Amino acid sequence: VRNPRQGNVVYEQEGVFIHSSCAKNDDQDSIISGVLRVIEKEAEVIVDWRPSDDTLDSSNILCAGKDSSSVVEWTQTPKEKSPRGLDHQNNYEAEWDMVNTVSFKKKPRSNGDATTHANGESKWSFQFSLTDLKSIKQNKEGMGWSYLVFCLKDDVILPALHFHHGDSKLLIVSLEKYVVLCESPQDKRILLVNCQNKSLSQSFENLLDEPTYGLIQKLKKDPYTATMGGFSKVTNYIFDSLRGSDPSTQQRPPSEMADFLSDAIPGLKINQQEEPGFEVITRIDLGKRPDIIRREPVSAEEWIKNMDSEGRILDADSIKQMIFKGGLCHALRKEVWKFLLGYFPWHSTREERTNLQKRKTDEYFKMKLQWKSVTDEQEKRNSRLRDYKSLIEKDVNRTDRTNKFYEGQDNPGLILLHDILMTYCMYDFDLGYVQGMSDLLSPVLYVMENEVDAFWCFVSYMDQMHENFEEQMQGMKTQLIQLSTLLRLLDSGFCSYLESQDSGYLYFCFRWLLIRFKREFSFQDILRLWEVMWTELPCQNFHLLICCAILESEKQQIMDKHYGFNEILKHINELSMKIDVEDILCKAEAISIQMMNCKELPQAVGEVLGMETSAVTTPDSDTGEDESVTVMSRSASTYQNLSMPVTAANGTRENAQQMAVTHSAQRLTPT
């Protein structure tokens, strides 16, 4: 249902009353009948109450004072003070004009019923955005008709709304589509909004397709951010899930946002030198970057040739290298992904794998039976299982629905997606389900076309990704720090520019890291990208080099056009589905070769790339000459020892380990 203010009414209830205490006889309340609505409008959701004879008009907004006995009225300033006229009232900027040009005015006491403006609208009307809602207080059960009291984040308490016809729970159900509500530990009648123990799940939901109710909008007061889409949701994730309800963090100015994030996530000091006792004071020359040639996907013939008569893989390292350089033809994915994800051991025989699948099938259905056999009565007493089930059902219905494997109603692919995620809750009940996990399962199930195999491959993938979804977000903290370390080595000037725009903590890469670029590439490209990354070549944390490659590709436009905080968010968001996966893989591989061949690699970078001892140049106190030692990790050395040909920038073909990389002397000075 559309309303006159171009909003979408998602909930409407008549017979919702305010009992005002402004009657002549203080012992008797004045009862004002009204209509309560929840309205989706632009990038926010509004809760609106007004007397039954009022129309939906945002020019009259009321909210109660802190003592809940007086009413504070939002009134627009005179038209001559407003920078825009009525022509703009239907666009987003006009709404922000209204918000920015309002002033507080004390409401005079009325005699009896609700007073009205000159235009006939009641002064009792109020509305607020869900971003401002802090808690909801409910009446005690059995104490007359139900009522709700809304408390906003600045501790403003709105007048109690009395539901004479019942159905207050329907409003709660409606609001739970947009915010997470949970009982206060101190008072079960109070529902807290985005409470800490559920904030993580809600934050991941904000990364998906629901409307976003932006913290960024509140902090920046800038309508431009309404177009940011997914990446404003990423920022909501960081702030909403970490700041809690600390009032000191509610009104931080935009200029302090980078400092705030650093304060909010202990240990997230991504722009500080990670090498204890040393300070890099000279830029490192990584040398000429090689041009990379990728090969055709691994064919079925190549795969079979690398297998003995009993089904053992003869040379797993060689196969991984070929997959890294070209990916797999689709016909092989169903079999080879089981090896890449660790479900099948590389050294296993065909018979051993068959027996493994039988055992894993039994194990899977035992876990599935655990949640399938839960009765309705049991479920009522298990709030966590109810929460997991609700989140999964909501998420499944919007995961890759344009893909033929998942499109349409009652699609068997959706049923399998649901059942696997529910069974995973039994497998790891502590983690359970967090929104975003369906994004990781969807391509795996698409390839496997088998419930049991998809489940165990997903389990293996989640073993890699587990820390991303934990409430402490340790995985995300670590990756952001590591990404900054790599990017600073590649281009310290770009890092400095990002810092100058309050973007130095690389929050705009959050979604990339969280669900491994799932929303940035097309579905088919994600299949290619993931199988390449699963080889764990050419080094540890190759996915961070993919981030570097994407950012490097966009650096010139960001800097040449002097993009600020909002523009960077918008630009990165709009890259979704526009990135060439093969081009980015070439760039990321070239960067890895540069770094692994650098004889003066900082220790922090070497650790990120998985080198046991990084190539750190230290001054020799006796000779004054520089000495350097490089010991690469197994994955890095394996990649180079395979001697895959690359094309250097000058057009000559050389082996990776033979490529000369020039560099300038790096000086490390004790701090």
Side-chain angles (χ1 to χ4, degrees):
V1 178
R2 303 291 294 183
N3 66 59
R5 295 187 311 150
Q6 305 302 313
N8 185 37
V9 178
V10 296
Y11 168 90
E12 185 173 62
Q13 177 68 43
E14 297 181 354
V16 180
F17 293 78
I18 286 180
H19 296 192
S20 73
S21 57
C22 345
K24 292 179 181 179
N25 183 353
D26 289 336
D27 294 331
Q28 183 176 3
D29 283 355
S30 170
I31 299 180
I32 306 166
S33 174
V35 180
L36 182 65
R37 297 179 176 92
V38 178
I39 305 164
E40 286 183 354
K41 188 174 190 312
E42 297 289 346
E44 64 177 344
V45 169
I46 300 295
V47 177
D48 179 283
W49 183 93
R50 57 194 61 242
S52 300
D53 56 352
D54 273 5
T55 58
L56 286 170
D57 187 343
S58 61
S59 64
N60 176 31
I61 307 172
L62 299 177
C63 57
K66 290 187 178 181
D67 59 1
S68 75
S69 63
S70 63
V71 174
V72 176
E73 177 186 359
W74 286 103
T75 58
Q76 249 184 302
T77 53
K79 290 183 180 178
E80 61 271 14
K81 292 184 181 180
S82 176
R84 299 179 187 266
L86 293 175
D87 294 342
H88 299 273
Q89 290 306 307
N90 287 328
N91 63 30
Y92 192 83
E93 289 82 356
E95 284 197 12
W96 281 95
D97 288 342
M98 183 196 76
V99 172
N100 290 327
T101 57
V102 295
S103 59
F104 279 115
K105 185 176 75 176
K106 195 78 171 181
K107 169 192 169 295
R109 290 283 183 172
S110 61
N111 295 321
D113 292 338
T115 59
T116 58
H117 286 285
N119 61 6
E121 293 175 353
S122 170
K123 289 187 177 181
W124 283 101
S125 303
F126 67 78
Q127 65 175 207
F128 60 87
S129 170
L130 277 188
T131 56
D132 296 320
L133 183 60
K134 178 181 179 182
S135 65
I136 305 172
K137 185 174 182 179
Q138 307 171 94
N139 62 298
K140 289 183 179 179
E141 290 188 13
M143 298 292 288
W145 51 59
S146 60
Y147 68 81
L148 299 175
V149 178
F150 295 107
C151 178
L152 306 185
K153 288 180 180 178
D154 53 3
D155 292 328
V156 165
I157 300 175
L158 295 170
L161 296 179
H162 296 258
F163 292 73
H164 288 198
H165 305 309
D167 291 337
S168 64
K169 289 185 178 180
L170 291 179
L171 173 63
I172 300 298
V173 170
S174 177
L175 296 181
E176 284 182 325
K177 295 177 182 178
Y178 308 102
V179 294
V180 175
L181 300 173
C182 65
E183 290 181 353
S184 167
Q186 288 75 34
D187 187 343
K188 291 187 176 182
R189 292 186 301 161
I190 296 178
L191 299 176
L192 301 177
V193 178
N194 284 337
C195 47
Q196 199 63 21
N197 66 330
K198 292 186 180 180
S199 64
L200 189 66
S201 291
Q202 177 64 16
S203 302
F204 282 102
E205 179 176 1
N206 287 343
L207 292 170
L208 304 177
D209 299 328
E210 291 294 296
T212 181
Y213 318 112
L215 176 65
I216 291 297
Q217 287 91 321
K218 284 191 64 182
L219 292 176
K220 300 294 287 185
K221 297 293 184 184
D222 186 344
Y224 187 70
T225 59
T227 63
M228 290 182 193
F231 275 87
S232 64
K233 301 173 191 177
V234 171
T235 310
N236 287 351
Y237 173 95
I238 297 173
F239 283 89
D240 286 339
S241 66
L242 294 173
R243 67 180 180 173
S245 58
D246 181 3
S248 67
T249 66
Q250 302 291 329
Q251 301 296 329
R252 296 293 292 270
S255 61
E256 296 180 26
M257 294 182 80
D259 293 336
F260 168 73
L261 183 63
S262 180
D263 294 341
I265 310 181
L268 186 57
K269 299 176 181 178
I270 64 177
N271 293 318
Q272 294 186 9
Q273 178 59 33
E274 294 294 323
E275 300 174 83
F278 288 92
E279 176 185 16
V280 177
I281 60 174
T282 306
R283 182 178 179 273
I284 299 173
D285 184 355
L286 291 174
K288 184 177 289 186
R289 182 174 298 175
D291 288 339
I292 301 296
I293 296 178
R294 290 184 57 75
R295 55 157 285 161
E296 291 296 314
V298 177
S299 66
E301 183 181 1
E302 289 175 305
W303 174 252
I304 293 171
K305 280 183 179 179
N306 215 301
M307 191 178 290
D308 69 14
S309 59
E310 293 184 331
R312 293 185 186 89
I313 305 302
L314 298 173
D315 189 345
D317 287 339
S318 175
I319 284 289
K320 288 179 186 177
Q321 177 63 29
M322 289 191 291
I323 296 170
F324 173 76
K325 294 293 293 184
L328 294 159
C329 68
H330 188 70
L332 280 179
R333 284 180 171 137
K334 186 180 296 188
E335 181 175 4
V336 181
W337 276 26
K338 298 183 182 80
F339 290 91
L340 288 173
L341 283 166
Y343 177 32
F344 286 171
W346 286 96
H347 60 273
S348 61
T349 65
R350 196 175 290 107
E351 182 181 357
E352 288 170 342
R353 294 193 290 272
T354 300
N355 292 333
L356 174 68
Q357 283 180 300
K358 289 179 180 177
R359 294 196 306 273
K360 291 296 186 181
T361 298
D362 290 342
E363 189 176 345
Y364 173 78
F365 282 107
K366 285 178 182 176
M367 289 186 289
K368 183 173 182 178
L369 185 61
Q370 290 174 357
W371 65 267
K372 279 281 193 180
S373 60
V374 172
T375 66
D376 291 342
E377 287 300 314
Q378 286 177 300
E379 191 173 302
K380 289 178 182 178
R381 297 187 293 271
N382 193 331
S383 60
R384 289 185 67 187
L385 183 61
R386 288 199 310 272
D387 290 343
Y388 291 154
K389 185 177 180 180
S390 174
L391 291 171
I392 288 170
E393 289 173 352
K394 185 174 184 179
D395 237 11
V396 162
N397 284 326
R398 61 185 180 187
T399 299
D400 292 321
R401 296 304 302 273
T402 57
N403 187 306
K404 289 185 178 180
F405 192 80
Y406 298 109
E407 70 181 3
Q409 296 297 319
D410 300 320
N411 187 302
L414 295 179
I415 296 171
L416 291 179
L417 202 64
H418 171 275
D419 287 1
I420 292 171
L421 292 171
M422 284 296 298
T423 305
Y424 186 81
C425 291
M426 299 296 104
Y427 175 84
D428 187 348
F429 202 80
D430 286 342
L431 179 63
Y433 180 78
V434 179
Q435 280 156 327
M437 287 164 57
S438 65
D439 271 298
L440 300 184
L441 172 59
S442 170
V444 175
L445 177 58
Y446 170 84
V447 167
M448 293 299 147
E449 298 180 308
N450 176 282
E451 181 177 4
V452 175
D453 289 342
F455 173 81
W456 290 112
C457 286
F458 176 65
V459 165
S460 296
Y461 198 12
M462 281 302 301
D463 287 344
Q464 302 175 29
M465 304 292 290
H466 199 283
E467 286 190 336
N468 281 14
F469 294 92
E470 292 172 359
E471 192 163 358
Q472 298 304 313
M473 296 191 304
Q474 187 57 50
M476 298 307 301
K477 296 178 196 176
T478 301
Q479 289 173 90
L480 286 171
I481 292 169
Q482 291 173 334
L483 177 56
S484 179
T485 301
L486 297 175
L487 191 62
R488 184 165 294 281
L489 174 66
L490 278 176
D491 198 326
S492 59
F494 185 37
C495 282
S496 297
Y497 177 82
L498 292 175
E499 288 167 15
S500 72
Q501 304 303 319
D502 292 325
S503 302
Y505 44 81
L506 307 177
Y507 56 86
F508 45 80
C509 299
F510 203 89
R511 187 174 71 184
W512 299 357
L513 300 173
L514 178 70
I515 50 177
R516 283 297 191 272
F517 309 101
K518 172 62 164 55
R519 295 296 178 101
E520 318 316 317
F521 293 88
S522 69
F523 196 87
Q524 292 301 318
D525 282 352
I526 275 296
L527 306 184
R528 170 76 72 244
L529 184 67
W530 282 4
E531 65 199 13
V532 167
M533 292 193 295
W534 291 337
T535 65
E536 299 181 341
L537 294 174
C539 59
Q540 195 171 284
N541 288 313
F542 182 63
H543 69 287
L544 299 180
L545 296 183
I546 292 173
C547 293
C548 289
I550 298 173
L551 292 175
E552 191 177 73
S553 299
E554 303 306 316
K555 165 197 164 182
Q556 185 171 355
Q557 182 170 345
I558 289 172
M559 294 183 70
D560 287 355
K561 295 188 177 181
H562 307 290
Y563 283 171
F565 179 89
N566 291 345
E567 292 88 353
I568 293 172
L569 274 176
K570 182 175 184 292
H571 179 71
I572 294 297
N573 185 37
E574 291 176 347
L575 293 178
S576 179
M577 303 300 156
K578 298 177 183 176
I579 308 172
D580 186 314
V581 69
E582 294 294 331
D583 179 59
I584 289 301
L585 284 172
C586 285
K587 288 180 180 178
E589 183 182 351
I591 292 170
S592 73
I593 292 173
Q594 276 187 300
M595 290 188 173
M596 289 190 294
N597 282 317
C598 178
K599 296 179 180 178
E600 298 175 338
L601 206 62
Q603 181 178 345
V605 174
E607 290 173 354
V608 172
L609 299 181
M611 298 180 185
E612 295 171 6
T613 303
S614 64
V616 178
T617 304
T618 57
D620 184 280
S621 57
D622 295 328
T623 64
E625 297 178 352
D626 288 346
E627 296 179 353
S628 63
V629 179
T630 304
V631 181
M632 292 193 177
S633 67
R634 181 188 60 79
S635 62
S637 58
T638 297
Y639 166 74
Q640 291 202 336
N641 288 335
L642 288 167
S643 305
M644 290 300 294
V646 297
T647 302
N650 60 9
T652 60
R653 289 172 66 83
E654 306 177 18
N655 288 334
Q657 72 268 31
Q658 296 172 340
M659 293 193 61
V661 181
T662 60
H663 56 272
S664 63
Q666 171 199 13
R667 304 295 180 186
L668 297 178
T669 304
T671 56

